[in-house]
Amino acid sequence: MPSNEVLKDALSKVLVYYPHLAGRFITDDLDRTCIILNNAGVRITETYIPSTLAEQLPFNPSKDVSHLLPPVEGVEELFQIQLNRYACGGLVIGETSHHRVADGQSMSSFFVAWARMVRGLDIETLPYHDRFAVSQPRNQPKIEFDHPSIEFKKTTVNPETTPVFSSIETLIINYSTEFINKLKSKVVEENCNPHKRYSTFECLLSHAWKKVT
């Protein structure tokens, strides 16, 4: 299990490729929200929990696990990490980020890149930030839809009276070493690239995703 210092060092390196996460929101002359890439940084919180991770698992999605997540009120950082270290050395990483900065797919790529940095590996797929190259405005500009007032509305949901979490059933599955080895061999064969390695996590995640979908 990597130490907090290793995690933080890798995080500082991977943020170079994801500068939006370390930026800040500003408002331009037209009252539009923009991201300024000023490298203002992200917020990291470290906590110690005097129990073992095994005693806490499995986690059920509820407000009972909110203490594992960084706060969201009164925070200017667009991305936060909370490293929850247990007495056994186990670790739970809590994360909050602003959806205007990155969607789920982007954050997934970020965490894969961070994990590779922790392991001392290079990032396989670098993020592409040249939006002008892929999304050039029309000349002359033609505004047909009122996106800001329609797509970005303030929520009226009261978390105290409206259920935030849906019903989720926890399922624990044990895979044998023999099954995992066969699965990894199958993944390599199907991708026709014997030199590319896939982690156990990637193979099991793909297998589980295919089964549930």
Side-chain angles (χ1 to χ4, degrees), residues 107-133:
M107 291 308 300
S108 176
S109 299
F110 167 80
F111 279 110
V112 170
W114 183 18
R116 291 184 64 85
M117 284 285 189
V118 171
R119 297 168 62 190
L121 303 175
D122 294 330
I123 300 176
E124 281 190 318
T125 305
L126 294 174
Y128 190 76
H129 297 299
D130 189 359
R131 300 185 181 185
F132 185 77

PDB file of all heavy atoms in Angstrom, residues 107-133:
ATOM      1  N   MET A 107     -12.768  12.159 -15.252  1.00  0.00           N
ATOM      2  CA  MET A 107     -12.235  11.848 -13.927  1.00  0.00           C
ATOM      3  C   MET A 107     -11.739  10.406 -13.862  1.00  0.00           C
ATOM      4  O   MET A 107     -10.764  10.106 -13.171  1.00  0.00           O
ATOM      5  CB  MET A 107     -13.298  12.094 -12.862  1.00  0.00           C
ATOM      6  CG  MET A 107     -13.638  13.566 -12.652  1.00  0.00           C
ATOM      7  SD  MET A 107     -12.182  14.610 -12.373  1.00  0.00           S
ATOM      8  CE  MET A 107     -11.495  13.865 -10.894  1.00  0.00           C
ATOM      9  N   SER A 108     -12.404   9.516 -14.586  1.00  0.00           N
ATOM     10  CA  SER A 108     -11.933   8.137 -14.639  1.00  0.00           C
ATOM     11  C   SER A 108     -10.536   8.075 -15.249  1.00  0.00           C
ATOM     12  O   SER A 108      -9.644   7.382 -14.733  1.00  0.00           O
ATOM     13  CB  SER A 108     -12.907   7.281 -15.450  1.00  0.00           C
ATOM     14  OG  SER A 108     -12.423   5.963 -15.599  1.00  0.00           O
ATOM     15  N   SER A 109     -10.333   8.812 -16.341  1.00  0.00           N
ATOM     16  CA  SER A 109      -9.012   8.858 -16.978  1.00  0.00           C
ATOM     17  C   SER A 109      -7.980   9.460 -16.035  1.00  0.00           C
ATOM     18  O   SER A 109      -6.828   9.012 -15.982  1.00  0.00           O
ATOM     19  CB  SER A 109      -9.083   9.678 -18.270  1.00  0.00           C
ATOM     20  OG  SER A 109      -9.982   9.097 -19.190  1.00  0.00           O
ATOM     21  N   PHE A 110      -8.408  10.470 -15.275  1.00  0.00           N
ATOM     22  CA  PHE A 110      -7.492  11.106 -14.333  1.00  0.00           C
ATOM     23  C   PHE A 110      -7.027  10.119 -13.264  1.00  0.00           C
ATOM     24  O   PHE A 110      -5.831  10.034 -12.956  1.00  0.00           O
ATOM     25  CB  PHE A 110      -8.166  12.307 -13.669  1.00  0.00           C
ATOM     26  CG  PHE A 110      -7.414  12.833 -12.478  1.00  0.00           C
ATOM     27  CD1 PHE A 110      -6.314  13.665 -12.651  1.00  0.00           C
ATOM     28  CD2 PHE A 110      -7.785  12.474 -11.189  1.00  0.00           C
ATOM     29  CE1 PHE A 110      -5.601  14.131 -11.556  1.00  0.00           C
ATOM     30  CE2 PHE A 110      -7.080  12.939 -10.090  1.00  0.00           C
ATOM     31  CZ  PHE A 110      -5.984  13.773 -10.273  1.00  0.00           C
ATOM     32  N   PHE A 111      -7.952   9.357 -12.699  1.00  0.00           N
ATOM     33  CA  PHE A 111      -7.579   8.431 -11.630  1.00  0.00           C
ATOM     34  C   PHE A 111      -6.696   7.297 -12.151  1.00  0.00           C
ATOM     35  O   PHE A 111      -5.803   6.820 -11.437  1.00  0.00           O
ATOM     36  CB  PHE A 111      -8.827   7.881 -10.950  1.00  0.00           C
ATOM     37  CG  PHE A 111      -9.411   8.820  -9.938  1.00  0.00           C
ATOM     38  CD1 PHE A 111     -10.615   9.456 -10.175  1.00  0.00           C
ATOM     39  CD2 PHE A 111      -8.746   9.087  -8.753  1.00  0.00           C
ATOM     40  CE1 PHE A 111     -11.152  10.338  -9.248  1.00  0.00           C
ATOM     41  CE2 PHE A 111      -9.263   9.965  -7.815  1.00  0.00           C
ATOM     42  CZ  PHE A 111     -10.475  10.598  -8.064  1.00  0.00           C
ATOM     43  N   VAL A 112      -6.931   6.865 -13.383  1.00  0.00           N
ATOM     44  CA  VAL A 112      -6.051   5.859 -13.981  1.00  0.00           C
ATOM     45  C   VAL A 112      -4.643   6.438 -14.144  1.00  0.00           C
ATOM     46  O   VAL A 112      -3.640   5.777 -13.841  1.00  0.00           O
ATOM     47  CB  VAL A 112      -6.604   5.388 -15.342  1.00  0.00           C
ATOM     48  CG1 VAL A 112      -5.571   4.531 -16.072  1.00  0.00           C
ATOM     49  CG2 VAL A 112      -7.890   4.601 -15.148  1.00  0.00           C
ATOM     50  N   ALA A 113      -4.569   7.690 -14.599  1.00  0.00           N
ATOM     51  CA  ALA A 113      -3.269   8.340 -14.771  1.00  0.00           C
ATOM     52  C   ALA A 113      -2.568   8.517 -13.429  1.00  0.00           C
ATOM     53  O   ALA A 113      -1.352   8.296 -13.315  1.00  0.00           O
ATOM     54  CB  ALA A 113      -3.463   9.696 -15.453  1.00  0.00           C
ATOM     55  N   TRP A 114      -3.318   8.904 -12.408  1.00  0.00           N
ATOM     56  CA  TRP A 114      -2.740   9.074 -11.063  1.00  0.00           C
ATOM     57  C   TRP A 114      -2.207   7.740 -10.541  1.00  0.00           C
ATOM     58  O   TRP A 114      -1.098   7.666 -10.003  1.00  0.00           O
ATOM     59  CB  TRP A 114      -3.795   9.653 -10.130  1.00  0.00           C
ATOM     60  CG  TRP A 114      -3.313   9.943  -8.729  1.00  0.00           C
ATOM     61  CD1 TRP A 114      -2.016  10.064  -8.317  1.00  0.00           C
ATOM     62  CD2 TRP A 114      -4.124  10.138  -7.571  1.00  0.00           C
ATOM     63  NE1 TRP A 114      -1.969  10.333  -6.962  1.00  0.00           N
ATOM     64  CE2 TRP A 114      -3.245  10.383  -6.485  1.00  0.00           C
ATOM     65  CE3 TRP A 114      -5.499  10.147  -7.352  1.00  0.00           C
ATOM     66  CZ2 TRP A 114      -3.715  10.617  -5.193  1.00  0.00           C
ATOM     67  CZ3 TRP A 114      -5.968  10.382  -6.070  1.00  0.00           C
ATOM     68  CH2 TRP A 114      -5.080  10.620  -5.001  1.00  0.00           C
ATOM     69  N   ALA A 115      -2.985   6.678 -10.719  1.00  0.00           N
ATOM     70  CA  ALA A 115      -2.560   5.359 -10.249  1.00  0.00           C
ATOM     71  C   ALA A 115      -1.278   4.913 -10.942  1.00  0.00           C
ATOM     72  O   ALA A 115      -0.386   4.320 -10.321  1.00  0.00           O
ATOM     73  CB  ALA A 115      -3.676   4.340 -10.480  1.00  0.00           C
ATOM     74  N   ARG A 116      -1.164   5.208 -12.228  1.00  0.00           N
ATOM     75  CA  ARG A 116       0.050   4.834 -12.955  1.00  0.00           C
ATOM     76  C   ARG A 116       1.250   5.633 -12.439  1.00  0.00           C
ATOM     77  O   ARG A 116       2.362   5.102 -12.331  1.00  0.00           O
ATOM     78  CB  ARG A 116      -0.144   5.051 -14.455  1.00  0.00           C
ATOM     79  CG  ARG A 116      -1.124   4.075 -15.094  1.00  0.00           C
ATOM     80  CD  ARG A 116      -1.198   4.277 -16.608  1.00  0.00           C
ATOM     81  NE  ARG A 116       0.073   3.985 -17.253  1.00  0.00           N
ATOM     82  CZ  ARG A 116       0.470   2.772 -17.622  1.00  0.00           C
ATOM     83  NH1 ARG A 116      -0.318   1.722 -17.413  1.00  0.00           N
ATOM     84  NH2 ARG A 116       1.636   2.595 -18.218  1.00  0.00           N
ATOM     85  N   MET A 117       1.029   6.889 -12.125  1.00  0.00           N
ATOM     86  CA  MET A 117       2.109   7.706 -11.566  1.00  0.00           C
ATOM     87  C   MET A 117       2.568   7.151 -10.219  1.00  0.00           C
ATOM     88  O   MET A 117       3.762   7.145  -9.906  1.00  0.00           O
ATOM     89  CB  MET A 117       1.634   9.149 -11.405  1.00  0.00           C
ATOM     90  CG  MET A 117       1.575   9.942 -12.691  1.00  0.00           C
ATOM     91  SD  MET A 117       3.224  10.417 -13.253  1.00  0.00           S
ATOM     92  CE  MET A 117       2.807  11.528 -14.593  1.00  0.00           C
ATOM     93  N   VAL A 118       1.618   6.700  -9.412  1.00  0.00           N
ATOM     94  CA  VAL A 118       1.960   6.116  -8.112  1.00  0.00           C
ATOM     95  C   VAL A 118       2.851   4.892  -8.297  1.00  0.00           C
ATOM     96  O   VAL A 118       3.787   4.650  -7.523  1.00  0.00           O
ATOM     97  CB  VAL A 118       0.678   5.745  -7.336  1.00  0.00           C
ATOM     98  CG1 VAL A 118       1.017   4.925  -6.087  1.00  0.00           C
ATOM     99  CG2 VAL A 118      -0.088   7.001  -6.937  1.00  0.00           C
ATOM    100  N   ARG A 119       2.580   4.132  -9.337  1.00  0.00           N
ATOM    101  CA  ARG A 119       3.348   2.907  -9.606  1.00  0.00           C
ATOM    102  C   ARG A 119       4.640   3.181 -10.366  1.00  0.00           C
ATOM    103  O   ARG A 119       5.379   2.258 -10.698  1.00  0.00           O
ATOM    104  CB  ARG A 119       2.480   1.934 -10.403  1.00  0.00           C
ATOM    105  CG  ARG A 119       1.232   1.469  -9.665  1.00  0.00           C
ATOM    106  CD  ARG A 119       0.269   0.753 -10.587  1.00  0.00           C
ATOM    107  NE  ARG A 119       0.848  -0.450 -11.147  1.00  0.00           N
ATOM    108  CZ  ARG A 119       0.292  -1.156 -12.133  1.00  0.00           C
ATOM    109  NH1 ARG A 119      -0.862  -0.745 -12.664  1.00  0.00           N
ATOM    110  NH2 ARG A 119       0.863  -2.242 -12.585  1.00  0.00           N
ATOM    111  N   GLY A 120       4.900   4.452 -10.672  1.00  0.00           N
ATOM    112  CA  GLY A 120       6.121   4.801 -11.383  1.00  0.00           C
ATOM    113  C   GLY A 120       6.048   4.586 -12.876  1.00  0.00           C
ATOM    114  O   GLY A 120       7.083   4.490 -13.548  1.00  0.00           O
ATOM    115  N   LEU A 121       4.821   4.526 -13.426  1.00  0.00           N
ATOM    116  CA  LEU A 121       4.630   4.298 -14.853  1.00  0.00           C
ATOM    117  C   LEU A 121       4.244   5.596 -15.550  1.00  0.00           C
ATOM    118  O   LEU A 121       3.765   6.539 -14.922  1.00  0.00           O
ATOM    119  CB  LEU A 121       3.530   3.251 -15.077  1.00  0.00           C
ATOM    120  CG  LEU A 121       3.741   1.893 -14.407  1.00  0.00           C
ATOM    121  CD1 LEU A 121       2.515   1.008 -14.618  1.00  0.00           C
ATOM    122  CD2 LEU A 121       4.991   1.209 -14.938  1.00  0.00           C
ATOM    123  N   ASP A 122       4.442   5.635 -16.851  1.00  0.00           N
ATOM    124  CA  ASP A 122       4.031   6.791 -17.642  1.00  0.00           C
ATOM    125  C   ASP A 122       2.530   6.738 -17.914  1.00  0.00           C
ATOM    126  O   ASP A 122       1.917   5.663 -17.890  1.00  0.00           O
ATOM    127  CB  ASP A 122       4.786   6.826 -18.974  1.00  0.00           C
ATOM    128  CG  ASP A 122       6.276   7.066 -18.786  1.00  0.00           C
ATOM    129  OD1 ASP A 122       6.643   7.745 -17.807  1.00  0.00           O
ATOM    130  OD2 ASP A 122       7.060   6.563 -19.613  1.00  0.00           O
ATOM    131  N   ILE A 123       1.952   7.888 -18.196  1.00  0.00           N
ATOM    132  CA  ILE A 123       0.539   7.947 -18.558  1.00  0.00           C
ATOM    133  C   ILE A 123       0.377   7.418 -19.976  1.00  0.00           C
ATOM    134  O   ILE A 123       1.055   7.875 -20.899  1.00  0.00           O
ATOM    135  CB  ILE A 123       0.009   9.390 -18.459  1.00  0.00           C
ATOM    136  CG1 ILE A 123       0.171   9.918 -17.032  1.00  0.00           C
ATOM    137  CG2 ILE A 123      -1.449   9.457 -18.882  1.00  0.00           C
ATOM    138  CD1 ILE A 123      -0.238  11.366 -16.880  1.00  0.00           C
ATOM    139  N   GLU A 124      -0.520   6.458 -20.146  1.00  0.00           N
ATOM    140  CA  GLU A 124      -0.698   5.842 -21.464  1.00  0.00           C
ATOM    141  C   GLU A 124      -1.365   6.796 -22.451  1.00  0.00           C
ATOM    142  O   GLU A 124      -0.903   6.983 -23.573  1.00  0.00           O
ATOM    143  CB  GLU A 124      -1.525   4.562 -21.332  1.00  0.00           C
ATOM    144  CG  GLU A 124      -0.741   3.374 -20.832  1.00  0.00           C
ATOM    145  CD  GLU A 124      -1.529   2.090 -20.950  1.00  0.00           C
ATOM    146  OE1 GLU A 124      -2.733   2.097 -20.647  1.00  0.00           O
ATOM    147  OE2 GLU A 124      -0.942   1.069 -21.344  1.00  0.00           O
ATOM    148  N   THR A 125      -2.469   7.393 -22.036  1.00  0.00           N
ATOM    149  CA  THR A 125      -3.220   8.287 -22.919  1.00  0.00           C
ATOM    150  C   THR A 125      -3.284   9.669 -22.288  1.00  0.00           C
ATOM    151  O   THR A 125      -3.943   9.867 -21.269  1.00  0.00           O
ATOM    152  CB  THR A 125      -4.648   7.760 -23.155  1.00  0.00           C
ATOM    153  OG1 THR A 125      -4.586   6.421 -23.661  1.00  0.00           O
ATOM    154  CG2 THR A 125      -5.381   8.647 -24.156  1.00  0.00           C
ATOM    155  N   LEU A 126      -2.600  10.623 -22.885  1.00  0.00           N
ATOM    156  CA  LEU A 126      -2.583  11.979 -22.343  1.00  0.00           C
ATOM    157  C   LEU A 126      -3.884  12.700 -22.680  1.00  0.00           C
ATOM    158  O   LEU A 126      -4.449  12.509 -23.760  1.00  0.00           O
ATOM    159  CB  LEU A 126      -1.400  12.759 -22.913  1.00  0.00           C
ATOM    160  CG  LEU A 126      -0.009  12.272 -22.501  1.00  0.00           C
ATOM    161  CD1 LEU A 126       1.065  13.049 -23.248  1.00  0.00           C
ATOM    162  CD2 LEU A 126       0.188  12.420 -20.997  1.00  0.00           C
ATOM    163  N   PRO A 127      -4.380  13.529 -21.772  1.00  0.00           N
ATOM    164  CA  PRO A 127      -5.602  14.293 -22.061  1.00  0.00           C
ATOM    165  C   PRO A 127      -5.350  15.313 -23.162  1.00  0.00           C
ATOM    166  O   PRO A 127      -4.231  15.809 -23.323  1.00  0.00           O
ATOM    167  CB  PRO A 127      -5.916  14.974 -20.723  1.00  0.00           C
ATOM    168  CG  PRO A 127      -4.600  15.050 -20.016  1.00  0.00           C
ATOM    169  CD  PRO A 127      -3.846  13.820 -20.424  1.00  0.00           C
ATOM    170  N   TYR A 128      -6.395  15.617 -23.908  1.00  0.00           N
ATOM    171  CA  TYR A 128      -6.293  16.552 -25.038  1.00  0.00           C
ATOM    172  C   TYR A 128      -7.054  17.818 -24.677  1.00  0.00           C
ATOM    173  O   TYR A 128      -8.258  17.784 -24.446  1.00  0.00           O
ATOM    174  CB  TYR A 128      -6.882  15.909 -26.291  1.00  0.00           C
ATOM    175  CG  TYR A 128      -6.612  16.677 -27.557  1.00  0.00           C
ATOM    176  CD1 TYR A 128      -5.358  16.649 -28.157  1.00  0.00           C
ATOM    177  CD2 TYR A 128      -7.614  17.439 -28.156  1.00  0.00           C
ATOM    178  CE1 TYR A 128      -5.106  17.347 -29.323  1.00  0.00           C
ATOM    179  CE2 TYR A 128      -7.374  18.139 -29.323  1.00  0.00           C
ATOM    180  CZ  TYR A 128      -6.118  18.089 -29.899  1.00  0.00           C
ATOM    181  OH  TYR A 128      -5.875  18.789 -31.053  1.00  0.00           O
ATOM    182  N   HIS A 129      -6.347  18.943 -24.626  1.00  0.00           N
ATOM    183  CA  HIS A 129      -6.953  20.182 -24.136  1.00  0.00           C
ATOM    184  C   HIS A 129      -7.185  21.238 -25.217  1.00  0.00           C
ATOM    185  O   HIS A 129      -7.717  22.306 -24.921  1.00  0.00           O
ATOM    186  CB  HIS A 129      -6.073  20.797 -23.042  1.00  0.00           C
ATOM    187  CG  HIS A 129      -5.924  19.932 -21.828  1.00  0.00           C
ATOM    188  ND1 HIS A 129      -6.998  19.540 -21.055  1.00  0.00           N
ATOM    189  CD2 HIS A 129      -4.830  19.366 -21.257  1.00  0.00           C
ATOM    190  CE1 HIS A 129      -6.574  18.781 -20.059  1.00  0.00           C
ATOM    191  NE2 HIS A 129      -5.266  18.658 -20.161  1.00  0.00           N
ATOM    192  N   ASP A 130      -6.783  20.976 -26.447  1.00  0.00           N
ATOM    193  CA  ASP A 130      -6.938  21.976 -27.505  1.00  0.00           C
ATOM    194  C   ASP A 130      -8.375  21.942 -28.023  1.00  0.00           C
ATOM    195  O   ASP A 130      -8.675  21.343 -29.053  1.00  0.00           O
ATOM    196  CB  ASP A 130      -5.949  21.706 -28.634  1.00  0.00           C
ATOM    197  CG  ASP A 130      -5.920  22.847 -29.650  1.00  0.00           C
ATOM    198  OD1 ASP A 130      -6.690  23.823 -29.471  1.00  0.00           O
ATOM    199  OD2 ASP A 130      -5.147  22.768 -30.617  1.00  0.00           O
ATOM    200  N   ARG A 131      -9.268  22.598 -27.298  1.00  0.00           N
ATOM    201  CA  ARG A 131     -10.681  22.555 -27.665  1.00  0.00           C
ATOM    202  C   ARG A 131     -10.954  23.295 -28.971  1.00  0.00           C
ATOM    203  O   ARG A 131     -11.897  22.974 -29.686  1.00  0.00           O
ATOM    204  CB  ARG A 131     -11.517  23.149 -26.529  1.00  0.00           C
ATOM    205  CG  ARG A 131     -11.355  22.382 -25.225  1.00  0.00           C
ATOM    206  CD  ARG A 131     -12.263  22.897 -24.147  1.00  0.00           C
ATOM    207  NE  ARG A 131     -12.068  22.157 -22.903  1.00  0.00           N
ATOM    208  CZ  ARG A 131     -12.795  22.335 -21.813  1.00  0.00           C
ATOM    209  NH1 ARG A 131     -13.767  23.222 -21.808  1.00  0.00           N
ATOM    210  NH2 ARG A 131     -12.555  21.631 -20.722  1.00  0.00           N
ATOM    211  N   PHE A 132     -10.142  24.299 -29.279  1.00  0.00           N
ATOM    212  CA  PHE A 132     -10.362  25.054 -30.508  1.00  0.00           C
ATOM    213  C   PHE A 132     -10.156  24.167 -31.732  1.00  0.00           C
ATOM    214  O   PHE A 132     -10.793  24.357 -32.767  1.00  0.00           O
ATOM    215  CB  PHE A 132      -9.414  26.249 -30.566  1.00  0.00           C
ATOM    216  CG  PHE A 132      -9.655  27.150 -31.747  1.00  0.00           C
ATOM    217  CD1 PHE A 132     -10.724  28.033 -31.758  1.00  0.00           C
ATOM    218  CD2 PHE A 132      -8.829  27.098 -32.856  1.00  0.00           C
ATOM    219  CE1 PHE A 132     -10.958  28.852 -32.851  1.00  0.00           C
ATOM    220  CE2 PHE A 132      -9.049  27.913 -33.953  1.00  0.00           C
ATOM    221  CZ  PHE A 132     -10.119  28.799 -33.947  1.00  0.00           C
ATOM    222  N   ALA A 133      -9.286  23.179 -31.597  1.00  0.00           N
ATOM    223  CA  ALA A 133      -8.997  22.301 -32.729  1.00  0.00           C
ATOM    224  C   ALA A 133     -10.148  21.354 -33.031  1.00  0.00           C
ATOM    225  O   ALA A 133     -10.295  20.890 -34.156  1.00  0.00           O
ATOM    226  CB  ALA A 133      -7.728  21.502 -32.463  1.00  0.00           C
TER     227      ALA A 133
END
